[in-house]
Amino acid sequence: MADLLEQVKDTVEYHKMWQPGQTVVVGVSGGPDSLCLLHVLHRLAPDLSFRIHVGHLNHSIRGLEGDADAAFVAQVAESWGLPVTIERADVPALARRYRLALEEAARCARYAFLGRLARQVNASAIAVAHHADDQVETVLMHWLRGSGLAGLRGMLPVTALADYRLIEDQTMSLDGSDIAQEDNLPPECRVAPPVLVRPLLNITRAEIDAYCERHNLHPRIDRSNLDTTYFRNRLRHELLPYLETYNPNIREVLRRTAEVIAADYALLQSHLERAWTEVVRNEASEAIVFNLAAWRRLPLSLQRSTLRQAIHRLRRALRNINFVHIEEALKVARCGATGSKATLPQGLLLTVSYDVLVIASSDYRMLPDVPRVCDEEAIAVRVPGITLLPCSGWVLFVEEMSAPVGEALRMRPETRWEVMLDAEFLGSSPRLRRRRPGDRFCPLGMAGRAKRLNEFMINEKIPALWRDSIPLLVNELDQIAWVCGWRLDERARVTAQTRRVLRLRFLRRNS
């Protein structure tokens, strides 16, 4: 078998875990795995030309033993001439606050700490000591809990830390919010989000123990790893040895299975990304809206994947999505009539509407049955005549008023979807279109002063999800004549000087 040092070097280079000249934060608990990792990387640093910064988080779980672990890591780093940062987190309090299992809260706190540290020291990667036996336990644990492909592929050699669904707390944010604060910095001063890397993922626990003994390393022993009340420990000490009585190579079988599933999952993700752009009509922080007909044409696998993706995007801290939730939502989305609903995790609700599928909070105000423009391409308006709005059950009816202008001035629209305007401002080639960046118009009642359309919509408290689909009536110069249903442009209003008046009404097709 190849020397462990060479195996790790090959893994780092094969997966391009970091580049020469970069800094790597190494998470060190003081146990055999992380001490082995630190020792190996310390030996490889001159050859691969990278810098090391040690990070240790005291979880406040093990009392004096935890304090001794922190002191041990500090002493090792100092004796090896490595910079080290040690912090403490009250993980039990964190678990109570977020109603998490202690192990999950510790994981969240640890990765959040390592992420902050990586950004502070401008590190491109965070190295952790997960090894081949950890991979076996992870795959088996996910299978027993009913995971999909994402869980059965196990841990990956390289993962963007921003992909991890950690506690959504200001002090623990790893979703890019701290990056946004650097938008005003020049590119050369910005720090790229770090990646999480696992250089020992192909190394077994037995090889790690042998390495520590061979190099006279004396790691700390965490006695909680022997406590079989923890689910992972039961797998390690009870289930896996039992499975080995059926197949002595079960660990290798599970590792190979994870590698195969990881490749299959990557292919599925590429199809998901393509499908996402085709079926998502609107995406905002409060809701995701699918084109119902396009979504229902997807293969079953991608229907499941898009539902899972929508939940993950709306609830980033949620790690595990119950299979039953997805299957119940799938039934409603595939076959449900307008108004059908399905409950999803963390207060989310799936709702089938006229031509869309909406995933949002249960208190979200869904887009009502109103005129909408859903395609990027503008719709030519017939003057006079009837114009169909393809993605909604509405039409625009345009007629020229035969009444004198004075009489038209006295008339009042019957609904918000009706207006009278100056035909000359509208011109000969009017269109309906969606909003575009930079749109401005002169809202009626503002004495001709121009206003940004986006600002107008915010002031009118139009929900963000509605804004892209509100029809804008524009003339041949692309000037907005009417923000349909909301406000006429001052320049399009009927005045005593108007020579021709047009009456526009949006009507439901069955009206």
Side-chain angles (χ1 to χ4, degrees):
M1 180 177 291
D3 177 72
L4 187 147
L5 186 75
E6 289 301 315
Q7 288 186 69
V8 173
K9 180 181 177 183
D10 290 345
T11 298
V12 169
E13 293 180 329
Y14 179 80
H15 293 287
K16 298 181 174 59
M17 291 183 169
W18 57 80
Q19 299 300 319
Q22 293 182 330
T23 297
V24 178
V25 166
V26 183
V28 181
S29 67
D33 309 336
S34 62
L35 192 60
C36 171
L37 174 66
L38 182 62
H39 191 269
V40 168
L41 294 184
H42 185 42
R43 292 174 63 195
L44 288 175
D47 188 22
L48 298 181
S49 302
F50 66 93
R51 297 177 296 275
I52 292 174
H53 191 108
V54 179
H56 174 88
L57 184 69
N58 186 336
H59 298 95
S60 303
I61 295 175
R62 298 172 52 242
L64 294 177
E65 288 190 9
D67 295 339
D69 289 346
F72 172 76
V73 171
Q75 185 271 325
V76 168
E78 182 180 359
S79 65
W80 293 355
L82 299 172
V84 61
T85 298
I86 294 177
E87 286 188 12
R88 178 188 293 271
D90 190 347
V91 169
L94 210 59
R96 290 191 298 271
R97 176 182 175 186
Y98 290 98
R99 299 180 181 179
L100 296 172
L102 198 62
E103 293 169 281
E104 177 66 7
R107 168 191 168 278
C108 288
R110 183 167 58 252
Y111 284 166
F113 157 68
L114 292 172
R116 289 196 308 273
L117 177 58
R119 292 189 56 77
Q120 289 167 10
V121 302
N122 197 11
S124 62
I126 299 164
V128 291
H130 294 132
H131 49 72
D133 290 87
D134 288 329
Q135 179 76 308
V136 169
E137 294 161 10
T138 298
V139 172
L140 186 56
M141 180 173 63
H142 286 169
W143 182 76
L144 289 173
R145 287 176 171 170
S147 173
L149 291 182
L152 296 180
R153 64 188 172 145
M155 297 176 288
L156 303 179
V158 180
T159 310
L161 193 63
D163 290 347
Y164 276 74
R165 308 185 191 286
L166 305 178
I167 296 171
E168 291 179 323
D169 183 88
Q170 182 79 23
T171 63
M172 304 179 68
S173 175
L174 293 171
D175 59 3
S177 58
D178 51 346
I179 300 172
Q181 297 174 6
E182 301 179 352
D183 284 346
N184 295 326
L185 294 176
E188 61 271 17
C189 295
R190 299 176 190 169
V191 182
V195 293
L196 193 72
V197 299
R198 298 180 171 93
L200 300 183
L201 202 55
N202 295 322
I203 308 298
T204 66
R205 183 178 286 115
E207 290 175 302
I208 289 171
D209 290 340
Y211 182 93
C212 289
E213 184 175 352
R214 186 163 60 252
H215 291 277
N216 200 29
L217 302 177
H218 303 287
R220 298 279 299 172
I221 302 301
D222 182 353
R223 289 181 296 178
S224 66
N225 288 331
L226 302 175
D227 186 352
T228 54
T229 59
Y230 291 112
F231 186 52
R232 182 182 283 272
N233 288 347
R234 287 184 63 199
L235 296 183
R236 179 182 305 162
H237 299 298
E238 298 176 1
L239 182 56
L240 275 167
Y242 181 68
L243 291 176
E244 284 176 321
T245 66
Y246 285 85
N247 182 351
N249 297 317
I250 187 65
R251 296 171 189 269
E252 182 60 29
V253 168
L254 288 171
R255 284 200 295 267
R256 287 200 306 265
T257 299
E259 289 180 10
V260 171
I261 291 177
D264 290 347
Y265 181 82
L267 176 62
L268 179 60
Q269 282 299 104
S270 67
H271 286 285
L272 171 60
E273 291 170 7
R274 189 178 308 114
W276 189 262
T277 62
E278 294 171 355
V279 302
V280 172
R281 179 172 291 178
N282 279 297
E283 180 176 355
S285 59
E286 64 270 21
I288 291 175
V289 179
F290 296 119
N291 180 307
L292 182 60
W295 184 88
R296 284 179 169 172
R297 288 195 296 267
L298 292 176
L300 177 60
S301 175
L302 287 176
Q303 289 178 341
R304 283 196 180 100
S305 298
T306 49
L307 292 182
R308 283 182 173 274
Q309 180 77 340
I311 295 168
H312 279 316
R313 292 192 180 205
L314 294 173
R315 296 290 185 267
R316 286 199 58 80
L318 180 64
R319 291 187 66 211
N320 299 313
I321 300 173
N322 192 296
F323 177 80
V324 174
H325 273 139
I326 292 296
E327 292 308 295
E328 288 299 319
L330 197 63
K331 291 177 186 176
V332 172
R334 285 164 64 92
C335 307
T338 298
S340 300
K341 300 178 186 295
T343 302
L344 293 169
Q346 290 194 357
L348 292 176
L349 193 68
L350 177 145
T351 305
V352 180
S353 187
Y354 175 77
D355 61 345
V356 296
L357 193 61
V358 180
I359 299 177
S361 298
S362 55
D363 58 356
Y364 174 74
R365 290 192 299 161
M366 222 180 79
L367 186 66
D369 181 16
V370 297
R372 300 198 299 275
V373 176
C374 302
D375 297 323
E376 291 294 337
E377 188 173 346
I379 302 170
V381 174
R382 295 173 178 268
V383 181
I386 297 175
T387 302
L388 177 71
L389 275 65
C391 77
S392 71
W394 292 71
V395 297
L396 176 60
F397 182 61
V398 182
E399 59 183 331
E400 186 169 345
M401 298 284 292
S402 58
V405 171
E407 185 176 332
L409 281 168
R410 291 190 294 273
M411 295 177 64
R412 291 290 179 265
E414 296 178 4
T415 74
R416 68 185 303 168
W417 300 107
E418 178 180 342
V419 76
M420 284 167 289
L421 51 76
D422 190 314
E424 290 188 9
F425 181 78
L426 195 59
S428 59
S429 306
R431 294 167 295 126
L432 289 171
R433 65 165 173 83
R434 300 172 66 177
R435 66 172 178 165
R436 295 172 184 162
D439 271 339
R440 302 174 71 88
F441 81 121
C442 302
L444 185 64
M446 290 187 58
R449 293 194 302 273
K451 192 178 189 71
R452 288 190 304 135
L453 177 63
N454 187 52
E455 183 182 348
F456 168 81
M457 289 181 164
I458 293 172
N459 292 343
E460 290 292 311
K461 296 183 172 55
I462 300 174
L465 192 66
W466 300 10
R467 297 172 194 167
D468 279 338
S469 61
I470 291 174
L472 303 177
L473 179 68
V474 299
N475 62 17
E476 54 201 3
L477 300 178
D478 207 37
Q479 296 170 313
I480 297 174
W482 184 25
V483 179
C484 302
W486 266 268
R487 191 75 62 87
L488 191 68
D489 188 286
E490 182 81 25
R491 296 164 295 181
R493 70 187 179 93
V494 176
T495 69
Q497 287 72 44
T498 298
R499 291 183 291 182
R500 291 173 50 236
V501 178
L502 292 179
R503 183 187 184 197
L504 290 79
R505 289 178 292 162
F506 284 99
L507 304 171
R508 287 185 177 85
R509 293 182 203 178
N510 55 3
S511 298

